[in-house]
Amino acid sequence: MIKAERQNLILEYLTKDKKVLLDQISKILKVSEDTVRRDIKELSDKGLLRAVRGGAVHRSPIPLHFKERQYIDVEHKQIIAGKVLDYIKPDMVVLIDSGTSALAAVANLPKDIALTVVTNSFPVASVLEDHPKIEVLFMGGRLNKTAFSTSGFETIEAIRNIRADICLLGICSIDLNWGVTGADYEDSLIKKVMVETSKYIIALSTSDKLGTSESFYICAANRLDVIITEADPAEVDLTAYSQAGIEIR
Amino acid sequence: MIKAERQNLILEYLTKDKKVLLDQISKILKVSEDTVRRDIKELSDKGLLRAVRGGAVHRSPIPLHFKERQYIDVEHKQIIAGKVLDYIKPDMVVLIDSGTSALAAVANLPKDIALTVVTNSFPVASVLEDHPKIEVLFMGGRLNKTAFSTSGFETIEAIRNIRADICLLGICSIDLNWGVTGADYEDSLIKKVMVETSKYIIALSTSDKLGTSESFYICAANRLDVIITEADPAEVDLTAYSQAGIEIR
DNA sequence: TGTTTATTTGCAATATATTGCAAATATTAT
DNA sequence: ATAATATTTGCAATATATTGCAAATAAACA
């Protein structure tokens, strides 16, 4: 077990559990607590987490390094991606935000579909490399090196010039009272503008995010047209959502 | 087992296992750990992986499909990159176009320099991942999937909003009569606007491109401040260029 | 073909990094 | 304030990197 690997794992545990404890990591990875502490120190210096007494937690607005996140929850994301495909028809203009769920959806698009994809996410653009019939419009702006996406004024201006047929919103918290909310300010701003300018909104979420809320408001729940989760809709109580006019898949 | 074959295998193991270990590869391929280490060093210089103590891990989530072109003329580009560094000072705003020479220059920047880099090239942005003090502004536009850069109206508009201290122009043909010219229309347009809006222009070229011309005009030769080539300036006839007020390195 | 030249590879000596331990210090909770 | 717990620091053992060099191999050339 080499240092780089260990640090990757620490970041994975962090995204999964929202926190890591020194003794927990020390036991799992079978190294001394000192080593874990030093690893956390290094990661903290890179800005990838916040070291606290006893372990580490998320550094609030900054999303974790994409590298670490893309392998998490792969099965769930595959399921979500499959359901998304029903909504994507040839020649649509699809607006896609950053986030690994949307990325999974894009990665599962058929190779020969003709689309225009508008995105601010490097990985999304990159995955479309071998889809010859998909034209990609990339929205510029300040580059966020951890999420590999752009944000800020230029990005928002670029979105305002687009009126997409469909918008794929990466995982967010959804609550019928509080609406759709996000944990990262810059990212939530982007999502907000995307929702404003798109005709049809598909939110990608996980069933455990239904009924929860975060700090930054994106839009009212009934602004969403569809919510796609990894769960079987037959097994969740959806009456409240359908009453609000939202389809759940 | 030839070197190139070995290095390809290393990259394969890397994509499969997300990491490679020196002793593991050394045993599998039956070469010494030193050789593996040198291989990893080379691959790391090309930006294809990240060398860490004990082995290597992925560099970034963005598969640099740039691979093919990156192999070409590596030594020359390293030389060029070294010379470029003399012109980059802390806190400058540096405009960088797509192209592997500029990429090589960027990849060789010191890890802790503070800069603002403005670019339309994915690989350039991607290579700056581990330079925490470099802010990256990415210029949006239509994505060119072969060069992995953006171009078109939006990109040009974005450039017009920047007044960079220095512009690094990727390899072009330079002729004292015909000026600076490029072979690709869209790309030449971008370069043209970059030259118009930047204070100081550094052209990266190879000595065999001096005195040649391509189809699309970028700017007059004397608009360039410096031409950097891989050759020793003492061994080329530069009188004509210096008379035009161009420094050659 | 045979000879020369350059590159690649492995080895050994040396330098540097990583890790776990223990003592000293700081922090938190009661 | 006191005890319990976490962090920092220095140190030694071990693992890994770097460097120069020589042997092996491949490439270039007559």
Side-chain angles (χ1 to χ4, degrees):
Chain A
M1 167 89 42
I2 61 181
K3 193 167 72 158
E5 193 183 1
R6 237 174 24 229
Q7 298 191 351
N8 283 343
L9 287 169
I10 290 177
L11 289 173
E12 265 187 45
Y13 284 116
L14 183 59
T15 25
K16 213 164 27 185
D17 304 343
K18 303 271 203 334
K19 68 167 188 222
V20 288
L21 303 175
L22 287 177
D23 64 337
Q24 161 209 14
I25 298 295
S26 159
K27 271 177 211 146
I28 298 176
L29 304 185
K30 301 196 200 313
V31 290
S32 77
E33 293 197 10
D34 303 70
T35 303
V36 180
R37 191 175 288 114
R38 274 180 281 231
D39 283 339
I40 286 179
K41 172 92 171 39
E42 280 186 34
L43 294 169
S44 163
D45 288 343
K46 289 186 193 159
L48 294 174
L49 47 70
R50 174 200 297 265
V52 296
R53 194 183 177 83
V57 295
H58 263 193
R59 165 159 303 218
S60 13
I62 300 170
L64 270 191
H65 204 276
F66 214 86
K67 210 190 304 176
E68 330 304 341
R69 291 193 300 161
Q70 63 182 332
Y71 301 107
I72 298 170
D73 249 358
V74 179
E75 332 74 55
H76 285 179
K77 284 172 190 160
Q78 292 289 85
I79 298 173
I80 294 176
K83 295 181 182 177
V84 168
L85 294 188
D86 297 339
Y87 294 86
I88 312 274
K89 303 295 173 208
D91 297 317
M92 276 184 164
V93 175
V94 187
L95 187 55
I96 300 181
D97 81 339
S98 56
T100 49
S101 299
L103 177 62
V106 171
N108 283 285
L109 283 171
K111 281 275 181 294
D112 57 345
I113 192 172
L115 288 176
T116 300
V117 165
V118 189
T119 187
N120 68 328
S121 157
F122 274 48
V124 165
S126 164
V127 157
L128 293 173
E129 180 188 354
D130 32 44
H131 294 246
K133 291 175 151 179
I134 298 186
E135 173 158 37
V136 179
L137 295 180
F138 193 85
M139 298 180 293
R142 220 178 44 250
L143 182 69
N144 176 339
K145 289 178 189 163
T146 57
F148 271 93
S149 63
T150 55
S151 59
F153 176 77
E154 292 87 351
T155 317
I156 288 176
E157 280 301 296
I159 299 173
R160 285 203 202 282
N161 284 314
I162 305 286
R163 179 131 173 78
D165 297 312
I166 277 202
C167 172
L168 293 185
L169 273 195
I171 288 195
C172 9
S173 296
I174 302 171
D175 181 275
L176 282 170
N177 278 322
W178 295 100
V180 182
T181 48
D184 176 67
Y185 175 66
E186 289 282 345
D187 188 51
S188 300
L189 265 186
I190 298 284
K191 285 181 163 62
K192 192 160 180 283
V193 182
M194 285 184 167
V195 167
E196 285 169 11
T197 63
S198 298
K199 297 178 192 163
Y200 193 89
I201 315 290
I202 301 179
L204 313 178
S205 189
T206 45
S207 49
D208 58 312
K209 290 272 186 86
L210 294 180
T212 68
S213 67
E214 303 275 0
S215 302
F216 302 105
Y217 182 77
I218 296 170
C219 67
N222 62 9
R223 176 65 183 85
L224 301 178
D225 296 286
V226 189
I227 298 173
I228 293 183
T229 75
E230 86 292 354
D232 183 341
E235 295 178 0
V236 201
D237 180 24
L238 308 171
T239 41
Y241 289 94
S242 27
Q243 275 167 18
I246 309 168
E247 179 188 355
I248 303 221
R249 290 285 307 272
Chain B
M1 165 92 36
I2 198 160
K3 192 164 72 158
E5 191 183 357
R6 235 173 27 228
Q7 298 192 350
N8 282 338
L9 285 169
I10 291 177
L11 288 173
E12 265 183 45
Y13 283 114
L14 183 61
T15 36
K16 205 164 43 182
D17 303 344
K18 296 198 286 207
K19 67 157 193 236
V20 289
L21 303 176
L22 286 178
D23 63 339
Q24 161 208 15
I25 298 295
S26 160
K27 271 177 210 145
I28 297 175
L29 303 185
K30 301 197 199 315
V31 290
S32 76
E33 294 198 8
D34 302 71
T35 304
V36 181
R37 191 176 290 112
R38 274 180 280 230
D39 284 339
I40 286 179
K41 173 82 169 48
E42 282 185 32
L43 294 168
S44 162
D45 287 342
K46 290 178 189 163
L48 297 175
L49 47 70
R50 176 205 299 262
V52 298
R53 196 183 180 83
V57 294
H58 267 292
R59 180 157 224 308
S60 84
I62 299 168
L64 292 191
H65 106 130
F66 232 54
K67 272 180 220 167
E68 305 301 329
R69 295 202 292 152
Q70 261 181 333
Y71 282 106
I72 302 170
D73 250 0
V74 177
E75 332 73 54
H76 285 180
K77 283 170 191 161
Q78 293 287 78
I79 298 172
I80 294 176
K83 295 181 182 176
V84 168
L85 295 188
D86 298 337
Y87 294 86
I88 312 275
K89 303 295 173 207
D91 297 317
M92 276 184 165
V93 175
V94 188
L95 186 55
I96 300 181
D97 81 340
S98 55
T100 49
S101 298
L103 178 62
V106 171
N108 283 283
L109 282 172
K111 281 274 181 295
D112 57 346
I113 192 173
L115 288 176
T116 300
V117 166
V118 189
T119 187
N120 67 328
S121 157
F122 275 51
V124 165
S126 163
V127 157
L128 293 173
E129 181 190 357
D130 339 284
H131 295 247
K133 290 175 153 180
I134 297 186
E135 171 157 37
V136 178
L137 296 181
F138 194 85
M139 298 180 293
R142 220 178 43 252
L143 183 68
N144 174 341
K145 288 177 188 166
T146 57
F148 256 74
S149 62
T150 54
S151 58
F153 175 78
E154 291 87 351
T155 317
I156 289 175
E157 280 301 295
I159 300 173
R160 285 203 203 283
N161 285 315
I162 304 286
R163 180 135 173 74
D165 297 312
I166 277 201
C167 172
L168 255 43
L169 271 196
I171 288 194
C172 8
S173 296
I174 302 171
D175 181 274
L176 282 171
N177 278 322
W178 295 100
V180 182
T181 48
D184 176 70
Y185 174 68
E186 288 283 347
D187 188 50
S188 301
L189 264 186
I190 299 285
K191 285 182 162 63
K192 192 160 181 283
V193 183
M194 284 184 167
V195 168
E196 284 169 11
T197 63
S198 298
K199 297 178 191 164
Y200 193 89
I201 315 290
I202 301 179
L204 313 178
S205 189
T206 45
S207 50
D208 58 310
K209 290 272 186 86
L210 294 180
T212 69
S213 66
E214 302 276 0
S215 303
F216 303 104
Y217 181 78
I218 296 170
C219 67
N222 62 9
R223 176 66 183 85
L224 301 177
D225 296 287
V226 189
I227 298 173
I228 293 182
T229 76
E230 87 292 356
D232 182 342
E235 296 178 0
V236 201
D237 180 24
L238 309 170
T239 41
Y241 289 93
S242 25
Q243 274 169 17
I246 307 169
E247 179 188 355
I248 303 220
R249 289 286 306 274

